[in-house]
Amino acid sequence: MDSLFGPPIDLAGLPNFARVESRPRRTVFCGRVSTKDQQNPSSSIPRQVSLAAQRLKDGEEFAGHFWDVESGMLPPESRGLGPQEMYDALHVKTPRDGGLQDLLDRAELLGVTHVLAERSDRVARAMLTSLTVEHELQKIGVEVVYANEPIGGTESGRLRTRRYGQVEAELFRTAMLEMSMGGQVQHAINGWNHGIPPYPYIAVVDKDAPPPAPGRFGEARPKKKLVPHADPRRFDASRELCRLRREEHLKAADIIAILSADRSRYPIEGRWTHNRVEGLIANPKLTGYQVYNRKASRTGRPGFSRWNPISQWVWSPRPAHDAVVSLEEWKAAQEVTAGLRANAPDGPLLRIRAAAGRRGLTVTVVEKTGSHTRYRIGGRLVVMPDPVPDAVAQQVIEELENAA
């Protein structure tokens, strides 16, 4: 910016009167739309280009176009990960040389001097992210310009306008998250399912759900509720693995051995794994209640979800589908899991299973009564009180060890 207090005579002819740029001006466009469903990229991106182009110099054109179809709540490293085929299918006339992270990675190599965007929330809705992007580009001599900022005036005025815009973007982001969370909470309270149905269930469209609001933009996803899987063995398998944890205090490896030994009784696609077993035991949806907010998926680390405290979970006020276990049984299983993770002492039945395992045998439940349980240990049937006393457990273990 030239000084407002010039020399008393004309010095424009001197060699150092005006600053000569050490590198030619090279300007690129930066843009974003939230999702292909909530906004129309084929109209929004060209509109953003048109507005940003008003800040180009006379005769100048964009040297590149970097834009994403991603949420502005994501950090740069999580943006632009969609395949090129997805972008081609959007039929956006504006060319795409990459996304925001590509711009940050290649700006210096491409000799970029200016980045133009319609406004700051097209970079990111989180103020820290947009500030970080500006800072990283500034370090390599790249100026970020937003088309909605005033031309001329003081630097403090321009900066005030920019920061106000970034604050508004973050406030909008927070308000959207609050409204979205409120909608998801009501979704769960009404008994509708989030995510992939647990092993013993399938999700079906709730025909009694109210129709979507008229004039809603984007595709409305149907409300779904959980119903038992067509294969009733899945309910039985889920009930049994929960019982093995709750009553026999078995670890996942022991439960997997029991389930895998009788695949006709405990069917599974692929194989039983530690994550499948522990995930089912910990899943509160097996109680018949619909539960939401067990995980925080937006942690800033791609592919990483953090478990929320149980106090933050959202439960439907009443059962929403058929239960595999009762609430009391589910709670007891979680207490046993906590004890196992704290290296609690092994129970009598667990010692029997360990002794059988050393001989290559598995222990499975055949029949339960009110006070006793019949087990199959290899080819033998053994009836033991429930719970198993230490003396009985020791007798069975000695018989296993002395067997020929």
Side-chain angles (χ1 to χ4, degrees), residues 165-183:
Q166 290 168 326
V167 168
E168 289 176 356
E170 182 142 347
L171 288 174
F172 178 81
R173 164 185 177 267
T174 303
M176 291 293 292
L177 285 174
E178 290 173 347
M179 289 187 287
S180 174
M181 183 63 176

Side-chain angles (χ1 to χ4, degrees), residues 11 22 50 72 88 133 136 301:
L11 302 179
S22 59
S50 178
D88 293 339
V133 169
E136 291 300 313
R301 294 172 56 188

Side-chain angles (χ1 to χ4, degrees), residues 348 351 388-398:
R351 297 201 304 273
V388 180
D390 286 328
V392 173
Q394 187 60 35
Q395 179 182 351
V396 174
I397 292 172
E398 290 177 358

Side-chain angles (χ1 to χ4, degrees), residues 26-43:
R26 189 173 179 83
T27 305
V28 298
F29 164 78
C30 180
R32 180 190 60 80
V33 293
S34 293
T35 67
K36 61 181 182 298
D37 298 321
Q38 300 301 323
Q39 291 178 299
N40 187 350
S42 63
S43 60

Side-chain angles (χ1 to χ4, degrees), residues 296-360:
S297 57
R298 294 191 182 278
T299 61
R301 294 172 56 188
F304 176 79
S305 297
R306 181 182 65 248
W307 284 99
N308 288 326
I310 295 178
S311 61
Q312 295 180 7
W313 295 3
V314 177
W315 296 70
S316 61
R318 61 188 62 85
H321 47 264
D322 292 349
V324 173
V325 295
S326 69
L327 270 172
E328 291 73 18
E329 290 173 330
W330 180 84
K331 179 183 177 182
Q334 310 318 302
E335 292 171 343
V336 173
T337 298
L340 290 174
R341 290 176 178 173
N343 297 319
D346 293 341
L349 190 54
L350 188 58
R351 297 201 304 273
I352 294 176
R353 290 187 182 280
R358 289 192 292 270
R359 297 187 55 80

Side-chain angles (χ1 to χ4, degrees), residues 9-31:
I9 61 174
D10 184 8
L11 302 179
L14 294 179
N16 62 340
F17 178 80
R19 182 182 300 276
V20 178
E21 295 293 340
S22 59
R23 54 180 179 160
R25 181 181 172 99
R26 189 173 179 83
T27 305
V28 298
F29 164 78
C30 180

